[in-house]
């Protein structure tokens, strides 16, 4: 089928390449010259495992092309997908101006049989409003608008596309639903379940799914605090509750607060939608606040500990909001690093992929090429991102290179007993020091001694 994707951002680009590999003929339209130029030269502007090959294959097979020419592409399409950004306004509401601008630009080029499909995450009722907007511009209500939200995680987007838990097809007319069915038939034939709904339900599914997942993370983060205070171990508690199939094991890893381009923005917009409709969502409102507080509280914990030992330099490992991506949007580092800097601490940072300069929150830090280079002479190490290479860090080597003796593992990547044996004081998330002490056969007293013996 002939498809057009408007927007070659993370979702648009990935989905275009995936559609092309299903056999569709996809034209991806992008009006930002900085994005489109590398793509037309065959360069992929984002890091997503497997995407380079998929794009290259699609282009070589003649099924995927990139252009900044909206009119011609749209005029020939059976379906036009909208994958433009929907950022958050300062009051938490969603900014739909890019979606509306794209619709205004293309409305007059659309063939009456073309289906417009909203892939961008949008507030409930948007597809219906866009349908009215297009009708107003064209002077007739011939164009149908459907909703087909995406559930792609950065870092595992291809697997999430081809092996999706479900595909949500939101359509208010039978013909629109039929067209969406045809687009996704290759995946449905392989057993991927489809959920057919109205456009508004599809829009709500996307928000409710992200809000629920974010609540799950916020909850386990709180339980991790409780574990630290009461002496439990979050890994055991997470597994013990996650094996209950009604709860599920995924998304129960505590961290330094969730980030990324989706959860923080979508939870704020979900709460805002609740307020607008007179049905407040207090659970999600509370989650939004707690997640911000968590990042600040963890930064303060580092500052207090480093100050206690008259330390000066902190090594931050991980700038991206999670492993396997170069995306830094709303990452914990963007809150934690500025707080460390304001407290007068020097920051040496490393990230395997997110190495871009020009991020205001990271001004004044020293960028290092390797994790070991970053920790050299540092008074404390703070692991913020769950990169696999950080799981393989050798505590003994860290201890030799560091000046101080404190390691904050906010992703629980390292073995606490091995870190302690290497002579470092270990702070994880929801892993009580008592357990570390037991594991090292040293008892609580030896831990205190380790801390006291740290170089000032
Ligand atoms: C999320 C959803 O998982 C996707 O289904 C959705 O399509 C996407 O948002 C979107 O709306 O476009 P993504 O933002 O790529 O995907 O990242 P996740 O893997 O969901 O992680 C989000 C944040 O939660 C990260 O900061 C991650 O480190 C954190 N997290 C995740 C935890 O702290 N603990 C966990 O157990 C899982």
């Amino acid at each position: 089928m002939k498809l057009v994707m408007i927007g070659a951002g993370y979702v648009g680009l990935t989905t275009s390449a995936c559609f092309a590999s299903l056999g569709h003929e996809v034209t991806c339209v992008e009006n930002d010259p900085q994005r489109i130029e590398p793509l037309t030269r065959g360069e992929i502007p984002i890091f997503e495992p497997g995407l380079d090959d998929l794009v290259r294959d699609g282009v070589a097979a003649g099924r995927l092309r990139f252009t900044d020419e909206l009119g011609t592409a749209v005029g020939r399409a059976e379906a036009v997908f909208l994958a433009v950004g929907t950022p958050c306004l300062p009051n938490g509401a969603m900014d739909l101006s890019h979606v509306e601008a794209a619709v205004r630009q293309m409305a007059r080029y659309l063939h009456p049989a073309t289906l417009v499909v909203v892939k961008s995450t949008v507030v409930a009722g948007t597809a219906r409003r866009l349908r009215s907007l297009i009708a107003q511009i064209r002077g007739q209500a011939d164009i149908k608008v459907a909703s087909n939200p995406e559930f792609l995680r950065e870092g595992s987007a291809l697997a999430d596309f081809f092996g999706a838990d479900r595909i949500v097809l939101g359509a208010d007319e039978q013909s629109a639903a039929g067209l969406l069915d045809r687009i996704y038939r290759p995946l449905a034939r392989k057993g991927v379940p489809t959920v057919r709904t109205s456009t508004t339900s599809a829009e709500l599914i996307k928000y409710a799914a992200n809000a629920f997942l974010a609540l799950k993370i916020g909850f386990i983060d709180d339980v991790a605090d409780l574990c630290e205070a009461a002496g439990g171990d979050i890994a055991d508690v997470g597994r013990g509750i996650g094996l209950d199939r009604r709860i599920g094991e995924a998304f129960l890893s505590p961290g330094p607060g969730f980030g990324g381009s989706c959860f923080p923005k979508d939870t704020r917009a979900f709460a805002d939608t609740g307020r607008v409709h007179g049905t407040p969502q207090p659970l999600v409102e509370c989650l939004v606040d707690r997640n911000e507080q968590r990042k600040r509280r963890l930064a303060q914990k580092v500052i207090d500990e480093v100050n206690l030992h008259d330390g000066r330099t902190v090594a931050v490992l991980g700038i991206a909001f999670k492993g396997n991506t170069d995306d830094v949007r709303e990452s914990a580092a963007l809150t934690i690093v500025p707080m460390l800097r304001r407290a007068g601490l020097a920051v040496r940072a490393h990230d395997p992929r997110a190495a871009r300069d020009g991020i205001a929150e990271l001004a004044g830090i020293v960028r290092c090429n390797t994790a070991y280079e970053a920790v050299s002479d540092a008074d404390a190490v703070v692991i913020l991102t769950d990169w696999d290479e950080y799981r393989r860090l050798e505590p003994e080597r860290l201890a030799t290179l560091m000046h101080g003796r404190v390691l904050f593992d906010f992703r629980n990547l390292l073995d606490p007993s091995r870190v302690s044996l290497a002579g470092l004081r270990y702070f994880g998330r929801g892993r009580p020091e008592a357990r570390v002490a037991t594991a090292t056969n040293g008892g609580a007293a030896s831990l205190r001694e380790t801390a006291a013996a740290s170089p000032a």
Side-chain angles (χ1 to χ4, degrees):
M1 295 175 71
K2 285 190 170 52
L3 309 179
V4 163
M5 182 70 63
I6 300 197
Y10 178 78
V11 170
L13 178 58
T14 310
T15 311
S16 295
C18 291
F19 276 155
S21 100
L22 292 184
H24 299 307
E25 207 179 293
V26 187
T27 304
C28 189
V29 184
E30 170 63 60
N31 60 11
D32 177 353
Q34 284 194 328
R35 221 160 233 281
I36 194 72
E37 275 162 21
L39 282 168
T40 47
R41 285 196 305 270
E43 290 164 26
I44 312 300
I46 55 169
F47 169 67
E48 177 63 34
L51 186 60
D52 303 41
D53 288 344
L54 206 65
V55 169
R56 213 171 298 124
D57 292 352
V59 171
R63 287 197 300 269
L64 177 60
R65 63 183 203 98
F66 300 97
T67 179
D68 55 2
E69 241 306 305
L70 184 81
T72 338
V74 162
R76 289 197 303 248
E78 286 165 85
V80 178
F81 285 79
L82 288 167
V84 294
T86 48
C88 207
L89 292 167
N91 64 356
M94 178 167 279
D95 177 2
L96 289 170
S97 61
H98 300 290
V99 175
E100 284 179 13
V103 162
R104 283 181 196 282
Q105 271 172 34
M106 72 177 180
R108 65 193 172 93
Y109 297 111
L110 292 164
H111 184 275
T114 302
L115 179 66
V116 173
V117 188
V118 184
K119 185 113 324 274
S120 309
T121 300
V122 292
V123 287
T126 301
R128 288 178 188 167
R129 276 198 296 279
L130 292 178
R131 187 172 179 184
S132 307
L133 176 64
I134 298 172
Q136 207 185 318
I137 296 168
R138 289 169 68 88
Q140 53 183 325
D142 52 349
I143 302 292
K144 299 181 180 68
V145 180
S147 165
N148 169 224
E150 51 82 24
F151 302 98
L152 308 177
R153 278 165 304 172
E154 293 187 22
S156 52
L158 304 195
D160 287 348
F161 183 92
F162 294 109
D165 288 338
R166 79 307 203 183
I167 300 165
V168 174
L169 306 177
D172 296 327
E173 303 82 9
Q174 189 53 39
S175 61
L179 204 133
L180 285 176
D181 268 342
R182 276 174 50 219
I183 295 172
Y184 282 103
R185 194 164 295 152
L187 290 180
R189 279 208 190 105
K190 287 191 178 137
V192 176
T194 53
V195 180
R196 276 230 214 157
T197 72
S198 67
T199 53
T200 303
S201 295
E203 289 158 345
L204 283 168
I205 287 171
K206 167 70 190 205
Y207 269 116
N210 272 3
F212 191 87
L213 289 168
L215 279 167
K216 217 175 160 187
I217 299 166
F219 176 76
I220 207 69
D221 276 330
D222 279 348
V223 178
D225 293 344
L226 189 54
C227 282
E228 279 168 33
D233 187 320
I234 195 62
D236 297 339
V237 176
R239 184 164 157 74
I241 64 172
L243 283 172
D244 183 329
R245 270 173 294 173
R246 292 167 304 172
I247 296 174
E249 285 185 272
F251 277 64
L252 288 179
S253 305
F258 57 76
S261 64
C262 304
F263 284 179
K265 162 174 89 77
D266 292 354
T267 44
R268 281 181 215 124
F270 185 81
D272 179 70
T273 306
R275 287 192 292 271
V276 167
H277 287 272
T279 48
Q281 301 293 317
L283 292 180
V284 177
E285 305 241 7
C286 175
L287 172 76
V288 170
D289 282 348
R290 278 201 70 70
N291 194 51
E292 281 316 303
Q293 282 166 25
R294 178 166 318 286
K295 296 174 189 175
R296 289 199 292 272
R297 212 162 42 75
L298 293 178
Q300 195 56 50
K301 189 170 173 173
V302 174
I303 293 166
D304 291 346
E305 192 61 30
V306 175
N307 281 342
L308 196 67
H309 299 289
D310 289 331
R312 284 280 309 126
T313 305
V314 178
V316 169
L317 302 185
I319 299 293
F321 79 95
K322 63 171 184 176
N324 259 343
T325 179
D326 59 359
D327 199 337
V328 301
R329 286 175 286 180
E330 305 243 12
S331 79
L334 299 194
T335 300
I336 292 176
V337 169
M339 278 186 67
L340 301 180
R341 299 277 297 132
R342 279 196 297 275
L345 299 171
V347 174
R348 298 166 62 78
H350 169 260
D351 190 285
R353 290 278 174 181
R356 259 170 296 136
D357 289 326
I359 301 166
E361 289 88 340
L362 304 181
I365 66 170
V366 176
R367 299 281 191 151
C368 300
N369 291 325
T370 68
Y372 289 116
E373 185 189 327
V375 306
S376 293
D377 291 329
D379 294 293
V381 171
V382 184
I383 301 177
L384 291 183
T385 310
D386 49 347
W387 282 105
D388 276 343
E389 74 166 75
Y390 296 158
R391 284 179 219 278
R392 294 191 292 271
L393 286 171
E394 292 168 22
E396 303 75 19
R397 196 166 161 202
L398 294 177
T400 310
L401 291 168
M402 285 172 68
H403 177 255
R405 286 281 157 265
V406 196
L407 188 140
F408 295 90
D409 178 7
F410 289 149
R411 293 286 188 169
N412 288 353
L413 303 183
L414 301 179
D415 174 359
S417 44
R418 196 172 151 198
V419 174
S420 297
L421 276 175
L424 298 178
R425 182 126 192 250
Y426 179 88
F427 294 92
R429 293 276 300 116
R431 293 169 143 184
E433 285 185 48
R435 174 184 153 133
V436 180
T438 314
T440 58
N441 293 326
S446 80
L447 257 187
R448 280 196 294 274
E449 278 154 26
T450 309
S454 316

